[in-house]
Amino acid sequence: MDSAPSEIDPKRLFDDELAETFVRACRARDAQDLYIARLAAEFATRNKYDDDGFVSPIDWIRFNCHMTSGAAANSVAVGEALHRMPESVQAVAGGAIGYAHVTTMARTANALGDRFDERALIDQARENSPGKFFFICTHYRHAADAKRYAEEQAEQVQNRRLKLSTTTDGSLLVSGIFDPEGGAVLRTALEPLARKSGAHDDRGRDQRVADAAVELAMHALDLGLIPQQAGQRTHLMVTASLETLRDLPGASAANMELSVPISSKTVERLACDASITRIVLGSDSMVIDVGRAKRVISGPARKALNVRDGQCVWTGCERPATWSSGHHLVHWTHGGTNEQENLVLLCHRHHWMVHEGKWQIVRGEEGRMVTIPPTITFGLPAHGPD
Ligand SMILES: [Zn+2]
Ligand SMILES: [Zn+2]
């Protein structure tokens, strides 16, 4: 597309000129947006949309002005509120505030009706960024009409939902929305767990948040915080044959409640220090309850391990002992003992990396733990959960 004559190629501008031209263009856009809002509000009072065969003015704007319906509705709402905020309109013309400030101001005016007073906010708009001004207006709305504010928040709670569905390959698909307060509770718990942890953490943010959610759930199960019935603890229920647990060739996968069958590697991890897993071994007609929903490494052995390691032993990882499991360097299904030299503490992720992620952890010189990355297989490097 050809540029308008006034448009200069940004690459030809010196730094100061570029900055000045940039700001000028944004001011012009703000003024233009304000005018568009006035046009939109006026248009909404006429019947032209109906003559043209559209169901609503928003629909007409959406189609003819190439806007999303949200943007079209916003534009009409701002235009309708402008007569109640003359100082804001002036401030946009003078470049003191932007259209983003006006949008927030208009939303506040619409929410408060007669209680809105532009004079209480205009100085704050001049002095603060649009983001900060949004918070100021939110406080102002609460101060002016706490009852209405509470009702709006209650409405947001009504809209909450979290949908869990299973995909054809057995993965869990999650989608939903939380009200601001519920969302804040969730983020307060998940964010610290979702930080990068330990050496070789190449997980993306979304992966870390996913891991954090699973780790949080694991921890709650581990502490017996999830009630079931009559004080009974909830635990992961896994049924495996001894062959599967020992990873023998030809062994079938293990069954896990609410999941597709899981690999012997995963059973091995869950059985490593089974505080939360009840693993039932079915061999012929004999059923042996191995997990018994108790730690395999129990009592004094676990306490000594917690004291010795203090936290996950992975280089740079700081998950405390209470958030870690005991890992058998030689698994107990292969004759490994519960002696201290055969045990180390690993957090949920690093335990996964050792069992399923093909990493190795070995005791090096002076008892320091050394981690060895997986060797490259099938031309692709193996790495953390993904
Ligand atoms: Zn383990
Ligand atoms: Zn760790």
Side-chain angles (χ1 to χ4, degrees):
M1 201 202 282
D2 289 335
S3 357
S6 62
E7 283 181 14
I8 309 158
D9 180 1
K11 293 220 180 295
R12 288 173 52 202
L13 295 171
F14 293 111
D15 288 0
D16 285 349
E17 288 175 315
L18 177 65
E20 200 190 304
T21 309
F22 193 7
V23 170
R24 214 182 318 123
C26 290
R27 300 251 159 95
R29 184 194 56 189
D30 283 338
Q32 197 67 23
D33 279 343
L34 214 55
Y35 184 55
I36 288 170
R38 287 174 54 202
L39 291 170
E42 185 57 33
F43 186 84
T45 66
R46 316 274 179 100
N47 288 323
K48 167 78 175 149
Y49 73 92
D50 196 25
D51 300 342
D52 288 357
F54 287 86
V55 294
S56 68
I58 305 280
D59 200 36
W60 187 96
I61 296 170
R62 189 179 65 79
F63 186 79
N64 288 285
C65 305
H66 308 307
M67 287 160 98
T68 63
S69 28
N74 230 3
S75 203
V76 173
V78 169
E80 285 171 349
L82 285 182
H83 71 280
R84 301 172 62 198
M85 35 198 277
E87 286 197 42
S88 304
V89 175
Q90 283 256 301
V92 171
I97 68 172
Y99 183 71
H101 290 98
V102 175
T103 311
T104 303
M105 190 80 96
R107 232 181 262 146
T108 312
N110 289 339
L112 287 177
D114 291 346
R115 298 182 201 214
F116 172 74
D117 183 359
E118 183 194 24
R119 287 165 303 175
L121 290 169
I122 186 65
D123 286 342
Q124 303 268 30
R126 285 199 187 95
E127 286 158 20
N128 292 283
S129 67
K132 216 163 165 211
F133 184 58
F134 172 82
F135 273 90
I136 291 165
C137 284
T138 311
H139 283 294
Y140 175 74
R141 273 176 49 202
H142 187 277
D145 193 347
K147 192 165 163 275
R148 167 94 193 256
Y149 192 89
E151 280 165 7
E152 279 176 16
Q153 291 223 315
E155 227 168 84
Q156 286 178 302
V157 174
Q158 283 306 320
N159 289 334
R160 78 206 179 280
R161 62 184 178 276
L162 188 67
K163 194 168 146 62
L164 308 178
S165 46
T166 312
T167 64
T168 46
D169 68 355
S171 299
L172 180 67
L173 193 70
V174 180
S175 64
I177 187 167
F178 289 86
D179 64 283
E181 185 266 342
V185 170
L186 203 58
R187 286 183 61 183
T188 304
L190 290 181
E191 298 272 2
L193 293 172
R195 287 191 197 115
K196 282 187 180 269
S197 83
H200 320 290
D201 193 347
D202 58 357
R203 296 170 298 165
R205 159 141 177 107
D206 292 350
Q207 286 182 325
R208 284 184 273 119
V209 173
D211 288 350
V214 174
E215 190 177 7
L216 188 68
M218 274 285 195
H219 192 57
L221 287 167
D222 199 13
L223 295 181
L225 298 178
I226 316 291
Q228 199 177 28
Q229 281 168 348
Q232 234 198 351
R233 280 175 68 167
T234 306
H235 42 246
L236 302 170
M237 182 76 184
V238 176
T239 313
S241 70
L242 206 53
E243 290 75 33
T244 303
L245 201 53
R246 287 186 178 146
D247 200 13
L248 297 179
S252 56
N255 285 320
M256 182 171 179
E257 263 182 348
L258 304 179
S259 169
V260 294
I262 55 173
S263 78
S264 60
K265 286 282 164 210
T266 302
V267 186
E268 191 188 72
R269 170 170 53 84
L270 293 171
C272 202
D273 183 14
S275 60
I276 54 170
T277 317
R278 199 181 176 97
I279 294 174
V280 177
L281 288 181
S283 168
D284 298 333
S285 59
M286 272 230 313
V287 170
I288 319 155
D289 195 342
V290 178
R292 293 186 194 285
K294 268 199 227 149
R295 286 195 183 281
V296 170
I297 308 160
S298 59
R302 171 70 194 212
K303 270 193 197 124
L305 179 61
N306 285 0
V307 170
R308 189 196 66 193
D309 289 347
Q311 60 190 35
C312 171
V313 299
W314 199 274
T315 312
C317 183
E318 288 173 354
R319 283 288 191 279
T322 45
W323 284 78
S324 302
S325 304
H327 168 66
H328 292 79
L329 295 171
V330 177
H331 202 274
W332 60 264
T333 51
H334 298 290
T337 66
N338 276 357
E339 301 298 320
Q340 291 294 308
E341 58 268 28
N342 191 39
L343 301 175
V344 286
L345 283 183
L346 286 175
C347 70
H348 177 68
R349 184 170 82 89
H350 291 129
H351 205 187
W352 185 95
M353 283 168 75
V354 167
H355 283 276
E356 289 115 308
K358 301 196 173 100
W359 280 72
Q360 288 181 65
I361 187 160
V362 292
R363 204 179 292 287
E365 280 167 31
E366 294 160 17
R368 225 171 51 84
M369 299 313 296
V370 181
T371 48
I372 304 162
T375 46
I376 292 163
T377 48
F378 307 116
L380 288 166
H383 45 72
D386 59 21

